[in-house]
Amino acid sequence: MTDDQVRRIGPGPTGGPTPRIARHRHRRRGVIESVTALACLLAVVAYLNLDTDPEPPAPGGDFSAGEPTVAGRPTGLPGTVTEAGVASPGLKPRQRPPSPTPSPSTTPMPSPEPATPVLTVAEAEVPAVVDLTGLGTRDWVHWGLVGPDRTVRKRDGSGEIRDEGGRGQRGTYDTNPEGFSWRDGAPVGSADATPTGTYACGVGNGFVLSVAGSGELRTVHLFAGLWMSRGRLDVRLSSGGPTTMLRLEDPHTNHTAQWVIRFRAPRGQKLVMSWTTEQTFGGCGNVGVQAVALR
């Protein structure tokens, strides 16, 4: 209602506005207050940016107390939830340790079993000329050319053949029915079918020869003989086992033989060959040795 209208109506009984005008003013004031209150409320809501359906925080973000509990996180305790679990306040989240690289197997390999010792002996014919260079590819030794107690050896040979002595006095001879040749000797560089050898007269006298073991299978050629006697050859391994015994006899003249011995003995052990006079048939019955070759 405008002021002109109020003036036309005139004052109330008490000199103030009429009751109708007073009611109208009171209603308008209430509307204005309601609008003002609603505006203030909307301003507060906009300021607080309240949302009836808030978006879930980004992974790793903070949560306010009272929000829904996250699996793996204690209720009401602030912290950062990561893939690895809960981090204490102020500390970096724990990280998963790198997967350990598988280490190579350390299972010890079983040690190979020691090779079984081997010992075989066979007698063979002696060729008219024995080529020690071709036969003794590892080592060879010849007796009798340079004296009864001296030998000619393979130059740069393995040194596995050894003369370990024996009973009786030694002598040399040059009537062997077969000859021995070589091209790689020392101290005599070469020989062409020499018939020389060494001998020891009397029962129980003779020679002890050996070949060092290497763990490998080896072949030994022993060239030996006798004159008017019976000789006995004993072959054994120093590591033990049975002894192989062979005999050779000629009561009238000289006789020679080749024994082929195959053996295997560990390092530190050896093949032992004993060649002795077991019986004589007159005069200086004896046994003799010409050569040993190893391959």
Side-chain angles (χ1 to χ4, degrees):
M1 179 178 293
T2 64
D3 292 339
D4 292 339
Q5 291 174 328
V6 172
R7 281 193 297 268
R8 281 197 300 268
I9 293 174
T14 59
T18 64
R20 181 179 178 183
I21 295 172
R23 286 195 302 272
H24 179 75
R25 289 179 177 176
H26 181 72
R27 188 182 302 114
R28 185 174 61 180
R29 187 181 302 113
V31 172
I32 294 172
E33 290 177 355
S34 298
V35 172
T36 302
L38 179 60
C40 290
L41 180 61
L42 291 177
V44 171
V45 170
Y47 176 76
L48 295 178
N49 194 22
L50 295 178
D51 195 340
T52 58
D53 188 15
E55 292 290 332
D62 291 337
F63 285 79
S64 300
E67 291 183 1
T69 303
V70 179
R73 172 185 172 186
T75 305
L77 294 179
T80 301
V81 178
T82 66
E83 186 182 14
V86 179
S88 300
L91 298 179
K92 294 182 179 180
R94 290 178 298 144
Q95 296 181 351
R96 290 180 179 175
S99 300
T101 302
S103 58
S105 174
T106 57
T107 303
M109 296 296 293
S111 300
E113 295 183 1
T116 304
V118 173
L119 178 60
T120 63
V121 184
E123 185 176 348
E125 293 292 330
V126 183
V129 178
V130 178
D131 180 9
L132 291 177
T133 298
L135 193 61
T137 54
R138 289 184 62 84
D139 199 15
W140 61 260
V141 178
H142 182 269
W143 284 263
L145 182 62
V146 291
D149 297 310
R150 297 179 60 196
T151 59
V152 179
R153 302 190 63 99
K154 178 181 179 69
R155 184 174 60 249
D156 300 324
S158 66
E160 293 168 293
I161 301 171
R162 300 164 187 172
D163 184 346
E164 299 195 5
R167 293 179 57 187
Q169 185 177 356
R170 295 182 181 185
T172 61
Y173 69 96
D174 58 3
T175 57
N176 199 68
E178 295 85 26
F180 294 84
S181 300
W182 61 82
R183 300 171 300 281
D184 58 346
V188 180
S190 62
D192 185 15
T194 177
T196 52
T198 188
Y199 67 93
C201 295
V203 174
N205 295 335
F207 306 85
V208 179
L209 311 174
S210 69
V211 180
S214 63
E216 303 289 337
L217 186 63
R218 301 297 185 201
T219 301
V220 176
H221 295 261
L222 168 63
F223 297 91
L226 52 79
W227 184 76
M228 296 183 64
S229 69
R230 181 173 68 234
R232 189 181 79 186
L233 176 66
D234 295 297
V235 182
R236 63 183 177 85
L237 298 177
S238 63
S239 56
T243 297
T244 300
M245 183 178 64
L246 298 98
R247 288 183 170 89
L248 184 67
E249 179 178 322
D250 193 320
H252 307 292
T253 184
N254 59 2
H255 192 99
T256 57
Q258 172 185 191
W259 283 289
V260 180
I261 304 166
R262 290 172 62 82
F263 85 102
R264 177 167 56 211
R267 292 186 181 277
Q269 303 297 324
K270 58 187 176 180
L271 169 73
V272 180
M273 301 168 286
S274 298
W275 176 231
T276 58
T277 303
E278 190 173 57
Q279 182 179 354
T280 63
F281 298 102
C284 181
N286 62 73
V287 293
V289 171
Q290 296 90 45
V292 175
L294 172 66
R295 62 188 312 162

